[in-house]
Amino acid sequence: MLNIVLFGPPGSGKGTQSEKVIEKYGLVHISTGDLLRDEVAAQTDLGLQAKEIMDKGELVSDKIVIGMIRKKLDEHQGGPGFIFDGFPRTVNQARELRKALTDYDERVGVMISLEVSREELVKRLLKRGKETGRTDDNLETINNRIDVYDRQTIPVTYYYDKMHKHAAVEGTGSVDKIFERIVEVISKVKP
Ligand code: ADP
């Protein structure tokens, strides 16, 4: 199995690039943001709790997110592998991912982080807010999401650094150019 963590701040293009990676490598997409939005849309108890947190730009509890991940891993065993998008977002989530994958004799092959300046992120997210109406794409929540990323999520890069699994990729330029950089990194992952 090929397991990839696609990492980066909100608006760095994880969703767009995930689609291209899936198309090329046939991986199963696990986006915790999408899974949470599905719960919100279905108005489940979990969704109602999560919506309030997401609209503030804070992180949903590790316990909820890890539960969702374990369920997905269970459903798709024996497949070609996974691409994790928007997860892990805390060092605790990274440790829990490692444990969950180990249970299946699996591991993360590489963690790719997309690097984009704050100014560019804000520009992209405001545009997405106008186009899609996503309720967390307003200036106040965007700024909080980037602050939360800097405080709680950046430490995840050090976790993968220590395991020599972190590859930084420049996240600006054309979608195809960025994808080329990602493919280059994936081609070096040891099976
Ligand atoms: P973005 O990367 O653009 O912020 P996401 O769709 O990944 O968008 O996430 C939207 C929101 O969902 C986050 O701001 C957070 O509240 C919640 N969320 C998503 N993934 C996680 C996670 N792994 N841990 C905690 N909260 C999460």
Side-chain angles (χ1 to χ4, degrees):
M1 269 181 146
L2 171 66
N3 298 307
I4 298 171
V5 172
L6 192 56
F7 187 89
S12 57
K14 299 183 295 285
T16 307
Q17 294 297 330
S18 289
E19 279 178 27
K20 295 185 74 73
V21 171
I22 291 157
E23 201 183 316
K24 186 170 169 76
Y25 300 93
L27 304 179
V28 174
H29 188 210
I30 305 190
S31 157
T32 43
D34 286 350
L35 292 173
L36 288 166
R37 277 184 290 277
D38 288 346
E39 297 283 340
V40 173
Q43 297 189 311
T44 61
D45 284 349
L46 192 158
L48 293 175
Q49 272 180 48
K51 181 167 176 27
E52 213 174 301
I53 299 167
M54 291 164 83
D55 281 344
K56 280 192 260 175
E58 301 290 330
L59 295 183
V60 173
S61 82
D62 285 350
K63 195 166 163 241
I64 287 181
V65 172
I66 291 156
M68 295 191 318
I69 292 281
R70 279 205 173 256
K71 187 160 167 257
K72 279 277 167 194
L73 291 182
D74 230 39
E75 284 168 6
H76 297 279
Q77 273 316 301
F82 296 94
I83 180 160
F84 299 96
D85 162 2
F87 174 88
R89 253 176 159 92
T90 62
V91 171
N92 183 42
Q93 289 180 13
R95 290 199 190 103
E96 289 295 328
L97 175 62
R98 183 162 189 222
K99 277 195 229 160
L101 287 173
T102 305
D103 288 347
Y104 296 104
D105 254 343
E106 285 295 333
R107 61 193 176 83
V108 167
V110 67
M111 183 270 226
I112 300 171
S113 64
L114 294 171
E115 315 254 295
V116 178
S117 72
R118 185 172 184 127
E119 195 189 358
E120 173 72 16
L121 295 173
V122 174
K123 209 169 84 188
R124 290 183 187 178
L125 291 167
L126 285 174
K127 182 162 171 270
R128 184 172 75 185
K130 277 203 197 106
E131 287 167 0
T132 68
R134 237 178 86 163
T135 51
D136 56 350
D137 284 342
N138 63 75
L139 191 56
E140 195 186 344
T141 305
I142 289 169
N143 275 317
N144 195 38
R145 277 154 67 204
I146 300 174
D147 289 344
V148 166
Y149 174 82
D150 287 343
R151 264 198 323 268
Q152 300 187 54
T153 306
I154 283 285
V156 174
T157 59
Y158 310 135
Y159 176 88
Y160 287 104
D161 268 338
K162 272 192 253 158
M163 296 197 282
H164 308 289
K165 285 190 177 173
H166 172 211
V169 160
E170 197 191 322
T172 45
S174 73
V175 169
D176 287 341
K177 184 73 212 162
I178 299 165
F179 183 59
E180 263 175 43
R181 296 177 190 135
I182 291 176
V183 170
E184 170 77 21
V185 170
I186 295 176
S187 71
K188 291 182 191 141
V189 177
K190 290 187 210 88

